[in-house]
Amino acid sequence: QSSYVTLDEGYGNTASCESAITYIDGEKGVLRYRGYPIEELAENSRFIEVAYLLLNGELPNSRQLLEFSTNLNESSIIHEDMHHFFNGFPRGSHPMGILATMVASLSTFYPLPDRLDSATEMQVVINLVSQVRTIAAFSYKKSIGEPLIYPSYKLKYVRNFLNMMFSSPVRDYQLDDDIVRAIDMFLILHADHEQNCSTSSVRTAGSSMANVYAVASAGISSLWGPRHGGANQQVIQMLEQIHAAGGDGTEFINQAKDKNSTSRLMGFGHRVYKNFDPRAMVLKKQCDKLFSKMGVSDPLFDIAKKLEEIALSDDYFISRKLYPNVDFYSGLILRAAGIPTNMFTVLFAIGRMPGWLAHWREMLHGEQVVITRPRQIYVGEPLRHYQNIEQRP
Ligand code: SDX
């Protein structure tokens, strides 16, 4: 159960909390969901099994997994009237903006009572884990002016999503098992990460008893930033820039080290991991495996490996404990799947949805306090009095 440490009365309840969902040891590069090492889950599990684990605290048995999977499929459709909302977005709207808006608007189409009984609460959570995928795919189809492809009861979670993204009445889209597996693993690796920026937004918004759709939308909006979930898109843009310049990245690395430059080595560094981000290690191996199985090579992957090699022998990065994070290789997998770069952070949001909702439920059933007022030290002007405009300099 989570409980909030209350500092001295002056500050009320801060944002520090206990949680039983995810454990990270940044020094040792350890990440566990409900006690299970991320490497074992990435290797052996499937995303919906991990979503069940995060939300329920235990891995499902076969009956529970079948029920969960069937429920996800049956709740994958969204209200037909929501399509009018899609038509209202101007062409070129960023899919993360559409996603945040449409998820928040679910409260209009599926109004919730103030208090949810446990069965309704879990069903709303399952609906969101399922429908975020449909809204994401519909946003993409709208952005390219193609007809929407509806979810199908014949397809499982990731296959359904890829089919909604890429199938078309006039195009035979064949699902590739290696791509399906790679996207499934991508979602597992993004499913939760303790009290990161967007999860903290979810807990804070949820603590005011805002409805769960507004809370999920708050998480999506926080994730959008280039220093958080938007980094995967920035990494690919950085690699494309280096590739176009015909370099191996040495020049870019020098820019990233330059205090006067705004460039950063995107996908490097982490607030917590001062060692390797275990997710980056898994993703790098998955890139290797995927490209060799597909019999393709991606020059950007070669540049990424070269950048890592140069950075990890450079004192600037070593002394600041800057290592590849989850975003450094993840975009290459999405690129291999044909996912457009402006959808990368959307895939991150789909992966993170079960983690956000697990934290929302944990916070909701913990000591219900409003998370407010992180510590502030006032450094502004001392007391002063109003001056009429004529008296001002
Ligand atoms: C995610 O919290 C989470 O768990 C997030 C996440 C999740 O799953 O939810 O893991 C997902 O957000 C991963 C991070 C994705 N962001 C990026 O890859 C953007 C690039 N990285 C940086 O912006 C930065 O590393 C942060 C924001 C991720 C972490 O910053 P820190 O640890 O607070 O480090 P800092 O900003 O205080 O910088 C410390 C020093 C500075 O140099 P000095 O002032 O000491 O000279 O390191 C430098 C920084 O300039 N630095 C970098 C750098 N990151 C930090 N220099 C070049 N390139 C970088 N990427």
Side-chain angles (χ1 to χ4, degrees):
Q1 292 302 326
S2 68
S3 62
Y4 287 86
V5 174
T6 303
L7 286 179
D8 50 277
E9 283 318 304
Y11 289 95
N13 292 288
T14 70
S16 58
C17 69
E18 289 177 358
S19 174
I21 300 169
T22 292
Y23 171 73
I24 299 176
D25 180 330
E27 289 306 323
K28 298 191 185 114
V30 170
L31 169 58
R32 297 183 202 135
Y33 296 163
R34 300 284 190 185
Y36 294 96
I38 191 65
E39 297 83 354
E40 290 179 25
L41 292 171
E43 192 56 39
N44 306 301
S45 190
R46 287 290 179 273
F47 175 61
I48 63 160
E49 190 178 48
V50 168
Y52 184 99
L53 168 66
L54 288 168
L55 291 167
N56 295 283
E58 297 296 337
L59 284 169
N61 60 33
S62 8
R63 178 186 55 75
Q64 290 162 333
L65 186 59
L66 179 62
E67 273 172 18
F68 189 62
S69 173
T70 308
N71 194 338
L72 282 168
N73 245 348
E74 287 169 355
S75 50
S76 54
I77 208 84
I78 59 173
H79 197 294
E80 279 293 297
D81 289 352
M82 288 182 77
H83 297 189
H84 305 307
F85 278 49
F86 281 107
N87 297 334
F89 291 104
R91 285 189 77 80
S93 302
H94 197 289
M96 282 297 276
I98 299 175
L99 192 68
T101 310
M102 295 303 285
V103 164
S105 74
L106 286 166
S107 58
T108 313
F109 293 93
Y110 305 104
L112 296 172
D114 290 345
R115 290 254 171 231
L116 299 175
D117 60 63
S118 57
T120 309
E121 181 186 290
M122 184 48 96
Q123 189 54 52
V124 167
V125 161
I126 292 172
N127 293 351
L128 255 175
V129 170
S130 187
Q131 290 167 8
V132 67
R133 195 187 24 158
T134 308
I135 293 170
F138 283 11
S139 310
Y140 172 63
K141 282 297 198 191
K142 275 291 167 188
S143 74
I144 58 172
E146 280 197 7
L148 303 182
I149 298 295
Y150 280 55
S152 161
Y153 69 92
K154 296 179 195 149
L155 297 171
K156 297 291 181 203
Y157 195 90
V158 171
R159 288 175 183 275
N160 230 332
F161 171 67
L162 291 172
N163 190 58
M164 285 191 275
M165 279 282 290
F166 297 121
S167 185
S168 148
V170 292
R171 194 171 51 237
D172 176 26
Y173 172 65
Q174 292 298 327
L175 283 157
D176 176 303
D177 290 342
D178 296 324
I179 294 283
V180 171
R181 180 69 191 112
I183 296 294
D184 193 283
M185 182 184 283
F186 172 97
L187 295 176
I188 289 174
L189 294 167
H190 287 77
D192 194 55
H193 211 239
E194 207 210 58
Q195 306 302 323
N196 59 84
C197 174
S198 52
T199 300
S200 305
S201 302
V202 161
R203 279 189 174 253
T204 301
S207 73
S208 74
M209 300 302 281
N211 71 70
V212 66
Y213 302 120
V215 168
S217 180
I220 294 167
S221 300
S222 290
L223 186 73
W224 195 352
R227 282 200 164 186
H228 185 20
N232 51 22
Q233 182 176 344
Q234 305 272 327
V235 168
I236 293 297
Q237 284 159 2
M238 171 185 77
L239 296 174
E240 283 172 338
Q241 187 191 337
I242 295 170
H243 182 51
D248 67 351
T250 310
E251 181 47 39
F252 190 88
I253 290 253
N254 292 334
Q255 276 173 27
K257 288 159 51 177
D258 178 354
K259 288 312 294 166
N260 304 315
S261 152
T262 52
S263 300
R264 283 206 153 183
L265 185 54
M266 297 312 281
F268 253 70
H270 199 277
R271 190 76 78 213
V272 176
Y273 291 119
K274 299 308 170 189
N275 192 320
F276 266 83
D277 180 336
R279 301 168 297 175
M281 313 265 281
V282 175
L283 283 161
K284 182 178 176 183
K285 261 191 255 160
Q286 182 63 23
C287 280
D288 257 332
K289 213 158 106 184
L290 182 63
F291 291 141
S292 51
K293 282 197 86 183
M294 289 174 72
V296 298
S297 66
D298 183 345
L300 301 194
F301 184 40
D302 301 332
I303 292 173
K305 288 190 281 190
K306 183 70 183 160
L307 278 177
E308 179 184 347
E309 186 193 313
I310 299 170
L312 295 189
S313 53
D314 185 308
D315 187 53
Y316 172 92
F317 293 92
I318 298 169
S319 62
R320 291 169 177 81
K321 299 186 176 180
L322 302 175
Y323 294 92
N325 61 48
V326 66
D327 293 300
F328 193 61
Y329 289 106
S330 57
L332 292 160
I333 288 194
L334 300 182
R335 211 169 108 94
I339 307 276
T341 45
N342 69 348
M343 285 290 289
F344 282 14
T345 311
V346 171
L347 269 287
F348 192 149
I350 294 172
R352 187 56 52 94
M353 189 58 77
W356 284 333
L357 296 171
H359 281 274
W360 171 70
R361 296 187 71 227
E362 183 179 68
M363 181 277 307
L364 208 60
H365 299 295
E367 287 166 34
Q368 294 208 28
V369 287
V370 178
I371 304 175
T372 179
R373 298 184 178 287
R375 304 289 294 259
Q376 176 201 283
I377 298 161
Y378 179 71
V379 292
E381 295 291 337
L383 172 66
R384 51 185 176 163
H385 297 289
Y386 183 80
Q387 281 179 315
N388 291 329
I389 194 159
E390 300 75 27
Q391 293 162 315
R392 294 173 210 159

